[in-house]
Amino acid sequence: MRELEEKIAREGKVLPGNVLKVGSFLNQQIDTAFTMRMGEEVKRLFEGREITKVLTVEASGIAFAFAVSVSLGVPMVFAKKHASANVSGDLYTASVYSYTHKTSYEIVVSKDYISSEDKLLLVDDFLANGNALKGMIEIANQAGAEVVGCSSAIEKGYQGGGDELRARGYKVESLAIVESMENGLVFRTQK
Amino acid sequence: MRELEEKIAREGKVLPGNVLKVGSFLNQQIDTAFTMRMGEEVKRLFEGREITKVLTVEASGIAFAFAVSVSLGVPMVFAKKHASANVSGDLYTASVYSYTHKTSYEIVVSKDYISSEDKLLLVDDFLANGNALKGMIEIANQAGAEVVGCSSAIEKGYQGGGDELRARGYKVESLAIVESMENGLVFRTQK
């Protein structure tokens, strides 16, 4: 999505440790009108596929998943990172290793909200090693739900998670794929 | 907002400990088309007031704040509950006591995203004791930003936080105010 690539180039900041900071429009501060256009683009990329729900992980995935959900006209569900007083009853759980925080955490979805009838689009703001998506795939499998595909706003192509999932047969659509950041941002050419 | 009251009555569950569970449409699973209509209602309630940004706290506030932000045509900012690798530089911080979890936590916003020029609408999904809103007011004060008002989707009127803020002079608009849950849901009559 050309508009997203231009926005990353203009407003993104590359921090030490290969951290791409897009807090000014995608994470912490959110340009919601632009995010709604990203949601429309995801709808276009999955045109013709039946999707019953959008699944993401709190917290930074929620805004993008919300926009995707509005464009598709289906509910969204977000996995919580820990059980709380408001998530009770039977749960699906999966373990996710975070490279950012160097720890594993559990993601949790109440069994009330995903069933074997569901056809899920798995959504996250960033796709790097793909661990959050793998956790969501694990939850979809526990529910017996179909994974229609995965979509991220920004994929770090050089970290390999997206291509690994593509090699496993998943349709993975990212709106911008960063191939390298060392000498200025380079994006993968997409159709 | 009549539609929200009806949805709470139809889909909400009252759990032991006076917990109102609305996970089927507001929290965990989100009816985004309905949430967009809630955003339009908040716009109506603050008609004629200048607002430059919507501020909320992750994670459950993000969806409602997103919809409010779209309806107002201004960016949203969400406070994080802890500093992370992606929140760097100078920070505004405030301490919030959670009655749900019986602990205090820090909320954090990068100074890049709120300034003394801002006129903030503070938004959250639930308003009970008002502690999250008070934390956001503290952050607005640190930034020298104006607090135009506060809005929640569901206020628990009997916990007093909303009325305390109204008594302090803040315009607080909640789309549904639950007065009691003991013998069936009773809502406060609003204009």
Side-chain angles (χ1 to χ4, degrees):
Chain A
M1 187 185 182
R2 179 64 56 91
E3 189 185 0
L4 175 59
E5 292 177 356
E6 288 170 357
K7 217 165 159 75
I8 296 167
R10 199 168 54 239
E11 299 179 34
K13 287 178 194 163
V14 179
L15 303 182
N18 253 356
V19 172
L20 176 62
K21 195 184 168 196
V22 288
S24 66
F25 65 94
L26 186 63
N27 195 299
Q28 175 108 219
Q29 178 166 271
I30 296 167
D31 180 338
T32 54
F34 174 66
T35 306
M36 292 292 278
R37 291 197 292 281
M38 292 202 293
E40 286 298 323
E41 176 66 3
V42 174
K43 180 186 179 182
R44 189 186 70 78
L45 291 164
F46 285 89
E47 198 78 66
R49 314 241 172 176
E50 190 190 351
I51 293 165
T52 63
K53 270 179 195 171
V54 172
L55 176 65
T56 190
V57 174
E58 68 176 5
S60 57
I62 294 175
F64 179 48
F66 188 100
V68 172
S69 160
V70 170
S71 74
L72 293 174
V74 299
M76 66 168 280
V77 174
F78 66 89
K80 304 210 175 202
K81 285 186 176 165
H82 53 80
S84 84
N86 288 311
V87 186
S88 51
D90 279 347
L91 303 172
Y92 305 117
T93 65
S95 182
V96 174
Y97 180 76
S98 164
Y99 278 79
T100 310
H101 301 288
K102 310 279 182 238
T103 55
S104 290
Y105 57 91
E106 296 292 310
I107 60 173
V108 174
V109 178
S110 164
K111 289 190 179 177
D112 291 345
Y113 306 130
I114 303 179
S115 78
S116 59
E117 312 279 288
D118 279 316
K119 298 169 192 300
L120 300 176
L121 180 61
L122 312 182
V123 165
D124 210 356
D125 56 341
F126 270 96
L127 165 51
N129 300 282
N131 290 335
L133 286 174
K134 288 173 201 165
M136 289 190 260
I137 289 170
E138 165 67 23
I139 281 176
N141 290 343
Q142 287 173 24
E146 181 187 332
V147 176
V148 177
C150 310
S151 187
S152 79
I154 303 176
E155 177 176 338
K156 293 176 172 176
Y158 55 90
Q159 288 192 253
D163 290 334
E164 183 194 333
L165 289 167
R166 290 180 188 102
R168 285 168 56 187
Y170 292 103
K171 177 174 167 69
V172 179
E173 298 287 354
S174 297
L175 301 186
I177 304 180
V178 179
E179 287 295 13
S180 69
M181 304 199 289
E182 283 75 10
N183 303 299
L185 283 161
V186 178
F187 295 100
R188 185 182 299 183
T189 304
Q190 298 191 84
K191 59 187 176 306
Chain B
M1 187 184 182
R2 178 65 56 93
E3 188 185 0
L4 175 59
E5 292 176 356
E6 288 170 356
K7 218 165 158 73
I8 296 167
R10 199 168 52 238
E11 299 180 34
K13 288 180 194 163
V14 179
L15 303 182
N18 254 357
V19 171
L20 176 61
K21 195 184 170 199
V22 288
S24 66
F25 65 95
L26 186 63
N27 194 299
Q28 175 108 222
Q29 177 166 272
I30 297 168
D31 180 340
T32 54
F34 175 67
T35 307
M36 292 293 277
R37 293 197 291 281
M38 292 202 293
E40 286 298 322
E41 176 66 5
V42 174
K43 179 185 180 184
R44 189 187 70 77
L45 291 164
F46 285 89
E47 198 77 67
R49 315 243 172 173
E50 190 190 353
I51 293 165
T52 64
K53 269 178 196 171
V54 172
L55 177 64
T56 191
V57 173
E58 67 175 6
S60 57
I62 294 175
F64 180 48
F66 188 102
V68 172
S69 160
V70 171
S71 73
L72 293 172
V74 300
M76 66 167 280
V77 174
F78 66 90
K80 303 208 177 204
K81 286 187 175 165
H82 53 80
S84 83
N86 288 311
V87 186
S88 52
D90 279 348
L91 303 172
Y92 305 117
T93 64
S95 183
V96 174
Y97 180 76
S98 163
Y99 276 80
T100 310
H101 299 288
K102 311 280 181 236
T103 56
S104 289
Y105 57 91
E106 296 292 309
I107 60 172
V108 173
V109 178
S110 164
K111 289 190 179 177
D112 291 344
Y113 306 128
I114 303 179
S115 79
S116 59
E117 311 278 289
D118 279 315
K119 300 170 192 296
L120 300 176
L121 180 61
L122 313 181
V123 165
D124 210 355
D125 57 340
F126 269 94
L127 165 51
N129 300 281
N131 290 334
L133 285 173
K134 288 173 201 164
M136 288 190 261
I137 289 170
E138 166 67 23
I139 281 177
N141 290 343
Q142 288 173 24
E146 181 187 331
V147 176
V148 176
C150 309
S151 186
S152 78
I154 303 177
E155 178 176 338
K156 292 176 173 176
Y158 56 92
Q159 288 192 254
D163 290 334
E164 183 193 334
L165 290 166
R166 291 180 187 101
R168 285 167 58 187
Y170 292 101
K171 176 174 169 68
V172 179
E173 298 287 354
S174 297
L175 301 185
I177 304 180
V178 179
E179 288 294 14
S180 69
M181 304 200 288
E182 282 76 9
N183 302 299
L185 282 162
V186 179
F187 295 100
R188 186 182 299 181
T189 305
Q190 299 192 81
K191 62 188 171 309

